[in-house]
Amino acid sequence: MRNRNLITATVAVAALGGGALVLTAAGGGGTIETVDFAKRVTATQPAFDARLAPASDANIKEFRIPIKDATIEIAKGVTYEGWTFGGTVPGPTLRVRVGDSVRVTVVNESPIPHSIDFHAARIPANVAYRMIMPRDSVSFAFLARDAGAFMVHCGTPPVTMHLMQGMYLPIIVDPQDGWGTKADKEFVLVQSEFYAKAGDSTKVGTMLPMQPDWQAERAKNATYVAFNGRAGQYKDNPLRVDVGDRVRFFVVNAGPNFDSDFHVVGAVFDRVYPDGNPKHVLEGVQTYGIPAGGGAVFEAVFAKDASGEGLYPFVTHSFADAEKGAVGIIQVGVPKQFARMSH
Ligand SMILES: [Cu+2]
């Protein structure tokens, strides 16, 4: 395992300066990467930025994640009073590599208790995932052992409420030796449902944020189903790739209740890694189902002579959910015109 000795080495962490990212030399030639998500916030306009950069070479990765209330936009022009990790829904994408030591500090800046649950960690839940009271924080560390696209979420009861409020984020764990192919573009997509009803209608003429609809959640009657927190946002702001690109999608299904049946119209997945485990590789896949609380890694090649220049909708093929907003577009190259599509 890469630099295993460093994980237990005594290390000195530099004080955080003004930047969100700090790289610090650790004893033995290793490096610590520190990211403070109070300072590095993912852009959500005009759409949640789904593009991914490679993980750094630091073998110790520290993340500080604030929990805070935030007004979010769950569909075009539709706001909602959410509970968030880092101020956005989904929260920030964490990216590490198998063999990394992952250190997490979560600070509760909201008025009610929350918690954090890492599906990528093998750790005593009662210690790491304990309740975090307002103004309190929790810190723990785990060794990234399992490659994949994993869900991270608040586990405070009622969990459905904390999920429908937006408390989830993805963590990507790259295999130690990479994915075996070179991707030209990488994107993260987190599917989730919102259950919302209109805000206080007594204030005529004001556009108030929507509120949680507990009854709709109990009936699993979602108001919106979204990729990366806002229904339909990638129809207006397509994911852009070039002709010939191999594109890797890290898809996490945060639910809380629905499966995601991930499909790209006009393409066949070259590879799918269920759970994001490279040992599980499937080839030539049309649609792959991701359970609530699960994830998978998909690769598609937009070759000139097959799935070349053009527009490719990505959906959950459970179409009632796609029609509620779980649909977007991949734009390959610069099509001369946006032809009418049936999706
Ligand atoms: Cu919570």
Side-chain angles (χ1 to χ4, degrees):
M1 189 171 288
R2 188 169 52 96
N3 297 327
R4 172 184 268 167
N5 59 316
L6 293 178
I7 290 159
T8 52
T10 303
V11 293
V13 183
L16 260 184
L21 168 67
V22 176
L23 285 172
T24 311
T31 323
I32 306 171
E33 178 192 43
T34 303
V35 183
D36 183 352
F37 288 110
K39 294 171 181 165
R40 184 203 279 183
V41 180
T42 307
T44 57
Q45 295 291 347
F48 185 98
D49 191 351
R51 297 172 299 174
L52 287 172
S56 80
D57 287 335
N59 63 317
I60 301 171
K61 294 189 173 70
E62 295 190 326
F63 302 103
R64 181 185 182 280
I65 307 169
I67 290 172
K68 52 173 80 172
D69 295 352
T71 303
I72 56 172
E73 189 178 6
I74 58 174
K76 200 170 188 175
V78 178
T79 54
Y80 186 87
E81 299 289 6
W83 304 341
T84 79
F85 290 110
T88 61
V89 176
T93 302
L94 314 185
R95 191 163 193 183
V96 305
R97 192 177 286 125
V98 169
D100 285 349
S101 177
V102 182
R103 297 175 180 174
V104 177
T105 295
V106 179
V107 183
N108 187 355
E109 299 176 2
S110 93
I112 66 168
H114 293 291
S115 58
I116 196 162
D117 173 339
F118 272 75
H119 288 194
R122 302 182 184 216
I123 198 167
N126 62 311
V127 179
Y129 305 161
R130 69 168 171 82
M131 197 92 85
I132 315 167
M133 299 306 285
R135 295 178 302 282
D136 194 7
S137 65
V138 68
S139 294
F140 57 88
F142 65 92
L143 179 66
R145 297 173 183 271
D146 306 280
F150 293 92
M151 182 179 181
V152 178
H153 65 95
C154 178
T156 298
V159 179
T160 44
M161 179 60 115
H162 289 252
L163 291 179
M164 65 190 264
Q165 287 296 97
M167 299 195 73
Y168 42 83
L169 58 90
I171 180 169
I172 294 164
V173 184
D174 291 313
Q176 203 151 30
D177 301 320
W179 294 95
T181 53
K182 184 192 167 297
D184 299 289
K185 305 279 189 315
E186 293 182 313
F187 298 104
V188 64
L189 294 169
V190 179
Q191 183 177 317
S192 65
E193 306 115 50
F194 291 100
Y195 301 85
K197 59 185 178 185
D200 183 355
S201 59
T202 60
K203 295 178 183 167
V204 178
T206 54
M207 281 288 286
L208 289 166
M210 293 184 91
Q211 298 177 344
D213 188 338
W214 186 245
Q215 282 189 315
E217 194 282 329
R218 294 296 296 271
K220 299 187 180 180
N221 180 20
T223 316
Y224 297 106
V225 185
F227 286 116
N228 290 347
R230 192 183 312 150
Q233 63 184 325
Y234 301 113
K235 287 170 82 175
D236 296 331
N237 304 280
L239 305 180
R240 292 168 193 272
V241 308
D242 293 318
V243 175
D245 277 355
R246 174 178 290 274
V247 182
R248 189 176 294 131
F249 302 92
F250 297 89
V251 184
V252 170
N253 181 14
N257 298 317
F258 297 171
D259 290 348
S260 175
D261 300 317
F262 194 66
H263 174 77
V264 175
V265 180
V268 174
F269 295 116
D270 190 63
R271 295 170 178 229
V272 176
Y273 302 100
D275 251 323
N277 186 330
K279 290 178 192 153
H280 298 167
V281 62
L282 305 173
E283 296 180 3
V285 177
Q286 57 187 310
T287 302
Y288 192 80
I290 307 168
V297 178
F298 298 76
E299 289 183 14
V301 180
F302 295 93
K304 189 168 186 247
D305 57 352
S307 301
E309 189 162 80
L311 302 175
Y312 299 84
F314 60 93
V315 296
T316 173
H317 217 285
S318 181
F319 260 93
D321 302 342
E323 284 155 10
K324 287 180 175 180
V327 55
I329 291 173
I330 301 156
Q331 179 184 326
V332 180
V334 187
K336 297 246 181 334
Q337 57 184 29
F338 279 35
R340 281 174 66 94
M341 289 184 300
S342 58
H343 291 79

